[in-house]
Amino acid sequence: MKLLKGIWIGFWSGLILGLLLKWIQSVTGEQVYTLLLNVDFIPIIGNVQWSEVTEFIFHMSISLIIGVVFVYISKRRNYSFGQLVIISLLLSVPFPFLFFLLSWLAVEANVPAVTDWGAFLYWVFAHLTYSLLLPILYKTFERKNAVSQ
């Protein structure tokens, strides 16, 4: 059950993150969604021209893993919502730094420059939203299970 819950939480959190960044990119022109999906720097798979859907599946795969890890950590004890938020934020510490790393590593993709602070703030906002969705969805799932039992 932990695995399914983690997949469910990772799916919805990742989907919302992706759609939020796609919307931000469409409204502002900042290439934050492109940055999220870019894999052109990864050996072997970076040489392939993947479709947007396939690149989004790559993104979702990472989100599913994060969701499962979050659930496994959260299930160890009966954490309060505030503690779950802290766990989620601790798991999310790398996200802001990934902006700089992914921008720097990009080969051909039109992604924001490492020094694009506007794009960085959008990136952080969207990933903070993702981080807060993990405990919200976790508690929502817990409530639904408690009601159905």
Side-chain angles (χ1 to χ4, degrees):
M1 192 53 142
K2 286 183 204 176
L3 180 64
L4 290 177
K5 186 182 298 187
I7 290 171
W8 185 84
I9 290 169
F11 174 82
W12 288 106
S13 298
L15 181 66
I16 292 169
L17 170 64
L19 293 174
L20 179 58
L21 285 173
K22 187 172 179 124
W23 177 77
I24 289 170
Q25 181 169 310
S26 72
V27 170
T28 67
E30 294 282 6
Q31 299 297 307
V32 288
Y33 178 70
T34 301
L35 182 64
L36 180 75
L37 300 189
N38 183 42
V39 293
D40 70 0
F41 58 90
I42 300 174
I44 300 171
I45 70 166
N47 298 330
V48 178
Q49 292 295 318
W50 301 102
S51 69
E52 179 183 345
V53 170
T54 303
E55 289 177 343
F56 197 80
I57 290 170
F58 293 157
H59 154 72
M60 290 298 293
S61 299
I62 301 299
S63 185
L64 296 179
I65 293 166
I66 292 168
V68 169
V69 168
F70 177 77
V71 167
Y72 271 88
I73 292 170
S74 300
K75 281 291 200 183
R76 296 186 68 153
R77 287 189 29 214
N78 189 20
Y79 290 110
S80 69
F81 180 74
Q83 290 169 319
L84 291 173
V85 169
I86 291 169
I87 291 167
S88 176
L89 290 172
L90 288 173
L91 278 175
S92 304
V93 165
F95 298 163
F97 300 105
L98 284 175
F99 174 86
F100 301 110
L101 182 62
L102 295 174
S103 293
W104 180 68
L105 288 174
V107 176
E108 294 179 20
N110 182 22
V111 299
V114 174
T115 57
D116 187 337
W117 296 107
F120 174 71
L121 290 175
Y122 289 129
W123 180 268
V124 169
F125 166 75
H127 282 83
L128 185 59
T129 301
Y130 175 88
S131 298
L132 295 175
L133 281 168
L134 294 173
I136 289 169
L137 292 171
Y138 179 85
K139 284 296 189 180
T140 300
F141 195 95
E142 291 285 301
R143 250 182 261 123
K144 283 185 180 180
N145 280 354
V147 170
S148 66
Q149 290 180 359

PDB file of all heavy atoms in Angstrom, residues 2 13 24 43 51 57 62-63 66-67 81 88 90 94 102 119 149:
ATOM      1  N   LYS A   2       2.026   1.205   0.705  1.00  0.00           N
ATOM      2  CA  LYS A   2       2.915   2.364   0.721  1.00  0.00           C
ATOM      3  C   LYS A   2       3.369   2.715  -0.687  1.00  0.00           C
ATOM      4  O   LYS A   2       3.411   3.890  -1.052  1.00  0.00           O
ATOM      5  CB  LYS A   2       4.158   2.094   1.580  1.00  0.00           C
ATOM      6  CG  LYS A   2       3.938   2.092   3.052  1.00  0.00           C
ATOM      7  CD  LYS A   2       5.288   1.881   3.737  1.00  0.00           C
ATOM      8  CE  LYS A   2       5.096   1.303   5.108  1.00  0.00           C
ATOM      9  NZ  LYS A   2       6.367   0.992   5.752  1.00  0.00           N
ATOM     10  N   SER A  13       1.602  15.270  -7.616  1.00  0.00           N
ATOM     11  CA  SER A  13       2.525  16.373  -7.342  1.00  0.00           C
ATOM     12  C   SER A  13       3.340  16.710  -8.584  1.00  0.00           C
ATOM     13  O   SER A  13       3.505  17.884  -8.926  1.00  0.00           O
ATOM     14  CB  SER A  13       3.467  16.004  -6.191  1.00  0.00           C
ATOM     15  OG  SER A  13       2.753  15.778  -5.013  1.00  0.00           O
ATOM     16  N   ILE A  24       3.552  28.876 -16.353  1.00  0.00           N
ATOM     17  CA  ILE A  24       4.451  30.010 -16.097  1.00  0.00           C
ATOM     18  C   ILE A  24       5.241  30.353 -17.357  1.00  0.00           C
ATOM     19  O   ILE A  24       5.370  31.528 -17.718  1.00  0.00           O
ATOM     20  CB  ILE A  24       5.400  29.702 -14.912  1.00  0.00           C
ATOM     21  CG1 ILE A  24       4.615  29.710 -13.591  1.00  0.00           C
ATOM     22  CG2 ILE A  24       6.553  30.700 -14.855  1.00  0.00           C
ATOM     23  CD1 ILE A  24       5.392  29.181 -12.392  1.00  0.00           C
ATOM     24  N   PRO A  43      24.292  11.509 -21.154  1.00  0.00           N
ATOM     25  CA  PRO A  43      24.896  10.651 -22.187  1.00  0.00           C
ATOM     26  C   PRO A  43      23.888   9.637 -22.740  1.00  0.00           C
ATOM     27  O   PRO A  43      23.028   9.155 -22.032  1.00  0.00           O
ATOM     28  CB  PRO A  43      26.024   9.934 -21.426  1.00  0.00           C
ATOM     29  CG  PRO A  43      26.346  10.853 -20.278  1.00  0.00           C
ATOM     30  CD  PRO A  43      25.039  11.507 -19.911  1.00  0.00           C
ATOM     31  N   SER A  51      10.056  13.348 -27.727  1.00  0.00           N
ATOM     32  CA  SER A  51       8.850  14.168 -27.769  1.00  0.00           C
ATOM     33  C   SER A  51       8.645  14.796 -26.390  1.00  0.00           C
ATOM     34  O   SER A  51       9.202  14.336 -25.380  1.00  0.00           O
ATOM     35  CB  SER A  51       7.629  13.305 -28.121  1.00  0.00           C
ATOM     36  OG  SER A  51       7.332  12.424 -27.045  1.00  0.00           O
ATOM     37  N   ILE A  57       7.349  12.222 -19.245  1.00  0.00           N
ATOM     38  CA  ILE A  57       7.369  10.914 -18.559  1.00  0.00           C
ATOM     39  C   ILE A  57       8.665  10.755 -17.768  1.00  0.00           C
ATOM     40  O   ILE A  57       8.649  10.239 -16.650  1.00  0.00           O
ATOM     41  CB  ILE A  57       7.141   9.764 -19.568  1.00  0.00           C
ATOM     42  CG1 ILE A  57       5.690   9.797 -20.062  1.00  0.00           C
ATOM     43  CG2 ILE A  57       7.477   8.413 -18.948  1.00  0.00           C
ATOM     44  CD1 ILE A  57       5.402   8.875 -21.227  1.00  0.00           C
ATOM     45  N   ILE A  62      10.822  10.627 -12.016  1.00  0.00           N
ATOM     46  CA  ILE A  62      11.545  11.174 -10.860  1.00  0.00           C
ATOM     47  C   ILE A  62      10.548  11.535  -9.761  1.00  0.00           C
ATOM     48  O   ILE A  62      10.763  11.249  -8.578  1.00  0.00           O
ATOM     49  CB  ILE A  62      12.375  12.408 -11.268  1.00  0.00           C
ATOM     50  CG1 ILE A  62      13.389  12.059 -12.347  1.00  0.00           C
ATOM     51  CG2 ILE A  62      13.036  13.050 -10.051  1.00  0.00           C
ATOM     52  CD1 ILE A  62      14.401  11.021 -11.964  1.00  0.00           C
ATOM     53  N   SER A  63       9.446  12.135 -10.140  1.00  0.00           N
ATOM     54  CA  SER A  63       8.436  12.528  -9.154  1.00  0.00           C
ATOM     55  C   SER A  63       7.827  11.317  -8.458  1.00  0.00           C
ATOM     56  O   SER A  63       7.554  11.362  -7.251  1.00  0.00           O
ATOM     57  CB  SER A  63       7.335  13.356  -9.823  1.00  0.00           C
ATOM     58  OG  SER A  63       6.426  13.825  -8.857  1.00  0.00           O
ATOM     59  N   ILE A  66      10.260  10.216  -5.830  1.00  0.00           N
ATOM     60  CA  ILE A  66      10.218  11.138  -4.681  1.00  0.00           C
ATOM     61  C   ILE A  66       8.964  10.870  -3.854  1.00  0.00           C
ATOM     62  O   ILE A  66       9.012  10.863  -2.620  1.00  0.00           O
ATOM     63  CB  ILE A  66      10.289  12.602  -5.150  1.00  0.00           C
ATOM     64  CG1 ILE A  66      11.672  12.887  -5.753  1.00  0.00           C
ATOM     65  CG2 ILE A  66       9.994  13.565  -3.999  1.00  0.00           C
ATOM     66  CD1 ILE A  66      11.768  14.207  -6.496  1.00  0.00           C
ATOM     67  N   GLY A  67       7.829  10.664  -4.519  1.00  0.00           N
ATOM     68  CA  GLY A  67       6.583  10.361  -3.798  1.00  0.00           C
ATOM     69  C   GLY A  67       6.695   9.101  -2.958  1.00  0.00           C
ATOM     70  O   GLY A  67       6.261   9.071  -1.802  1.00  0.00           O
ATOM     71  N   PHE A  81       1.066  17.087  10.576  1.00  0.00           N
ATOM     72  CA  PHE A  81       1.142  17.745   9.271  1.00  0.00           C
ATOM     73  C   PHE A  81       2.369  18.648   9.202  1.00  0.00           C
ATOM     74  O   PHE A  81       3.087  18.654   8.200  1.00  0.00           O
ATOM     75  CB  PHE A  81      -0.141  18.549   8.984  1.00  0.00           C
ATOM     76  CG  PHE A  81      -0.105  19.228   7.653  1.00  0.00           C
ATOM     77  CD1 PHE A  81      -0.264  18.502   6.486  1.00  0.00           C
ATOM     78  CD2 PHE A  81       0.129  20.591   7.560  1.00  0.00           C
ATOM     79  CE1 PHE A  81      -0.209  19.118   5.244  1.00  0.00           C
ATOM     80  CE2 PHE A  81       0.183  21.219   6.325  1.00  0.00           C
ATOM     81  CZ  PHE A  81       0.013  20.477   5.165  1.00  0.00           C
ATOM     82  N   SER A  88       9.125  17.055   3.878  1.00  0.00           N
ATOM     83  CA  SER A  88       9.019  17.361   2.462  1.00  0.00           C
ATOM     84  C   SER A  88      10.006  18.453   2.055  1.00  0.00           C
ATOM     85  O   SER A  88      10.670  18.355   1.023  1.00  0.00           O
ATOM     86  CB  SER A  88       7.587  17.796   2.131  1.00  0.00           C
ATOM     87  OG  SER A  88       7.490  18.169   0.793  1.00  0.00           O
ATOM     88  N   LEU A  90      12.781  19.197   3.536  1.00  0.00           N
ATOM     89  CA  LEU A  90      14.138  18.639   3.601  1.00  0.00           C
ATOM     90  C   LEU A  90      14.443  17.787   2.360  1.00  0.00           C
ATOM     91  O   LEU A  90      15.551  17.851   1.813  1.00  0.00           O
ATOM     92  CB  LEU A  90      14.322  17.817   4.875  1.00  0.00           C
ATOM     93  CG  LEU A  90      14.413  18.620   6.170  1.00  0.00           C
ATOM     94  CD1 LEU A  90      14.415  17.694   7.385  1.00  0.00           C
ATOM     95  CD2 LEU A  90      15.642  19.520   6.170  1.00  0.00           C
ATOM     96  N   PRO A  94      17.467  19.964  -2.596  1.00  0.00           N
ATOM     97  CA  PRO A  94      18.227  20.041  -3.858  1.00  0.00           C
ATOM     98  C   PRO A  94      17.525  20.806  -4.990  1.00  0.00           C
ATOM     99  O   PRO A  94      18.192  21.257  -5.925  1.00  0.00           O
ATOM    100  CB  PRO A  94      18.401  18.576  -4.270  1.00  0.00           C
ATOM    101  CG  PRO A  94      18.117  17.769  -3.062  1.00  0.00           C
ATOM    102  CD  PRO A  94      17.180  18.578  -2.222  1.00  0.00           C
ATOM    103  N   LEU A 102      21.104  22.348 -13.911  1.00  0.00           N
ATOM    104  CA  LEU A 102      20.467  22.023 -15.187  1.00  0.00           C
ATOM    105  C   LEU A 102      20.686  23.115 -16.223  1.00  0.00           C
ATOM    106  O   LEU A 102      20.867  22.829 -17.413  1.00  0.00           O
ATOM    107  CB  LEU A 102      18.972  21.760 -14.982  1.00  0.00           C
ATOM    108  CG  LEU A 102      18.627  20.538 -14.131  1.00  0.00           C
ATOM    109  CD1 LEU A 102      17.132  20.474 -13.880  1.00  0.00           C
ATOM    110  CD2 LEU A 102      19.130  19.255 -14.766  1.00  0.00           C
ATOM    111  N   ALA A 119      13.675  33.655 -13.653  1.00  0.00           N
ATOM    112  CA  ALA A 119      13.386  32.238 -13.907  1.00  0.00           C
ATOM    113  C   ALA A 119      13.665  31.414 -12.662  1.00  0.00           C
ATOM    114  O   ALA A 119      12.910  30.492 -12.344  1.00  0.00           O
ATOM    115  CB  ALA A 119      14.225  31.737 -15.083  1.00  0.00           C
ATOM    116  N   GLN A 149     -12.642   2.873   5.583  1.00  0.00           N
ATOM    117  CA  GLN A 149     -12.460   1.643   6.364  1.00  0.00           C
ATOM    118  C   GLN A 149     -13.523   1.467   7.400  1.00  0.00           C
ATOM    119  O   GLN A 149     -14.216   2.250   7.821  1.00  0.00           O
ATOM    120  CB  GLN A 149     -11.086   1.652   7.038  1.00  0.00           C
ATOM    121  CG  GLN A 149      -9.988   1.481   6.015  1.00  0.00           C
ATOM    122  CD  GLN A 149      -8.612   1.492   6.688  1.00  0.00           C
ATOM    123  OE1 GLN A 149      -8.489   1.647   7.891  1.00  0.00           O
ATOM    124  NE2 GLN A 149      -7.600   1.325   5.882  1.00  0.00           N
TER     125      GLN A 149
END
